[in-house]
Amino acid sequence: MSSIRVLTPAMRKCGFLIAAAVLALSAAAFAPYEYEGQWGTEGSGNGQFNGPKGTILAVGSRVYVADVRNDRIQYFGTTGSFLGKWGTAGYNDGQFLNPHDVTYSPRNGFIYVADTVNNRVQYFTRNGSFVGKWGRQGNGPGEFREVWGIATNRTNGRVYVSDKNNYRIQYFTAAGSYLGKWGTLGPSIGQFYWPEGIAVAPNGNVYVADVGNHRIQYFTANGRFLGVWGTKGGGDGQFSYPVAVAISSDGRVFVADRDNNRVQYFTAAGSFLGKWGSVGHGKGQFSHPWGIAVTQTGLTVYVADNYNHRIQYFRRNEPAVLSASVGRIKALFR
């Protein structure tokens, strides 16, 4: 004769709380991002912008912005308080011509800048003191035809550069010694049509915003093709000129979908997770988002809202029920 187990009220309550906690955990994984704040207006004063693009977060406490048409780098606190700047228009050390991207290397503490029209990379201390540079115009190793995107490997310090009009990615040591390259012009896997934004995942894989092909491609650290997603369009997982990419510590991939005026985010292999944004000038709206940065935890995302000449930041809306539910479950099992 089979035994029948009767669920007590306490057991039923516990089961309900476990289910609630599981649902809360699931919701946290796919929680939407909500507008939290912004800073910047059009101009050339401190904290103003003229076409901000590349944006990065350094050491969790500073936000660096490539202020493209002001030919400078500005940096701020995490909620937009102005901290400093460097750069003027020109060809000399510490000067720029339309710098399109900026990145930080925790390996050596330097800030690397894609000095686009000067066809070079320059790097600096965190406060903007010039350290070194490399590159010139051309199509040979270590030469560029417009440096658009730049990213570093947090572990070994390698610097990856999207060489836009040579339709390739090049990579270097932290001091600029050439290591390798991959990519040619075309629509096939491993080929590019205007590679711009670039990011390195915690595992060393390299993600590239293949803008003219309206897709994201990703590769091993040495350029072996791993995967691709995206087609031209306005649906979930489609793009209209994806120009920038950022990756959180858990591998989620955030993409500035420029002409769709939105941000989309995905798993490391490209499965769609969520999106936010629409065209406009209000809070949470965009006019050509062109740069993106994410905190290591993935809780906060910074977006360079190019034509609105501002930085907006968003925070993931995590369910408040999660910690309370887990605590009550623990109490029941004591």
Side-chain angles (χ1 to χ4, degrees):
M1 184 175 177
S2 61
S3 61
I4 299 175
R5 189 175 183 181
V6 179
L7 294 178
T8 67
M11 293 171 67
R12 285 194 294 270
K13 182 178 181 181
C14 182
F16 171 79
L17 288 173
I18 291 173
V22 169
L23 287 172
L25 284 167
S26 176
F30 300 100
Y33 283 80
E34 296 184 349
Y35 171 87
E36 186 162 306
Q38 64 178 290
W39 71 89
T41 57
E42 184 174 8
S44 58
N46 294 342
Q48 294 184 309
F49 302 106
N50 190 354
K53 289 188 178 177
T55 304
I56 55 108
L57 190 74
V59 203
S61 60
R62 289 184 175 185
V63 180
Y64 289 78
V65 181
D67 188 6
V68 178
R69 289 188 290 278
N70 281 324
D71 299 297
R72 66 185 181 183
I73 303 299
Q74 296 194 73
Y75 57 102
F76 306 86
T78 54
T79 57
S81 57
F82 177 80
L83 298 177
K85 64 182 178 182
W86 74 90
T88 57
Y91 311 93
N92 297 322
D93 296 346
Q95 294 185 309
F96 306 109
L97 286 179
N98 291 168
H100 274 67
D101 203 6
V102 57
T103 194
Y104 168 74
S105 175
R107 177 83 173 181
N108 56 23
F110 293 150
I111 303 294
Y112 291 80
V113 179
D115 189 6
T116 303
V117 178
N118 281 326
N119 294 292
R120 66 185 181 182
V121 172
Q122 296 192 71
Y123 57 108
F124 305 84
T125 66
R126 291 180 62 217
N127 294 331
S129 296
F130 176 81
V131 178
K133 64 183 177 182
W134 73 87
R136 62 182 183 182
Q137 186 173 4
N139 55 17
E143 296 178 329
F144 305 106
R145 292 180 59 212
E146 294 198 351
V147 180
W148 272 66
I150 191 166
T152 60
N153 183 300
R154 299 179 63 87
T155 303
N156 59 27
R158 281 184 176 181
V159 181
Y160 291 83
V161 178
S162 59
D163 186 5
K164 180 178 177 178
N165 290 320
N166 280 323
Y167 309 101
R168 66 186 181 184
I169 303 301
Q170 296 192 71
Y171 57 106
F172 306 85
T173 66
S177 296
Y178 175 82
L179 294 174
K181 64 181 179 180
W182 72 89
T184 57
L185 173 62
S188 300
I189 59 172
Q191 292 185 310
F192 302 108
Y193 187 18
W194 298 335
E196 292 190 18
I198 188 168
V200 180
N203 63 4
N205 290 342
V206 179
Y207 288 72
V208 181
D210 187 7
V211 176
N213 284 321
H214 307 283
R215 64 187 182 182
I216 303 297
Q217 295 193 73
Y218 61 107
F219 306 84
T220 66
N222 295 327
R224 180 173 59 84
F225 175 81
L226 293 175
V228 61
W229 73 90
T231 57
K232 183 172 175 57
D236 295 346
Q238 293 184 310
F239 303 108
S240 184
Y241 299 99
V243 289
V245 60
I247 303 174
S248 61
S249 59
D250 61 3
R252 276 174 295 154
V253 181
F254 295 78
V255 180
D257 188 7
R258 189 190 73 186
D259 285 14
N260 281 323
N261 291 291
R262 65 184 181 182
V263 171
Q264 297 191 73
Y265 56 108
F266 306 85
T267 67
S271 295
F272 177 81
L273 294 176
K275 63 183 177 183
W276 73 89
S278 60
V279 65
H281 311 292
K283 296 177 180 179
Q285 294 183 311
F286 302 112
S287 183
H288 285 73
W290 215 313
I292 192 165
V294 59
T295 58
Q296 284 293 295
T297 59
L299 287 178
T300 304
V301 178
Y302 294 84
V303 182
D305 189 5
N306 184 261
Y307 285 13
N308 283 324
H309 307 286
R310 65 185 179 183
I311 303 298
Q312 295 192 72
Y313 57 104
F314 304 83
R315 188 169 179 83
R316 191 168 71 197
N317 182 21
E318 295 189 296
V321 69
L322 180 59
S323 59
S325 297
V326 172
R328 292 172 69 188
I329 290 170
K330 287 181 179 178
L332 284 171
F333 278 98
R334 288 188 182 121

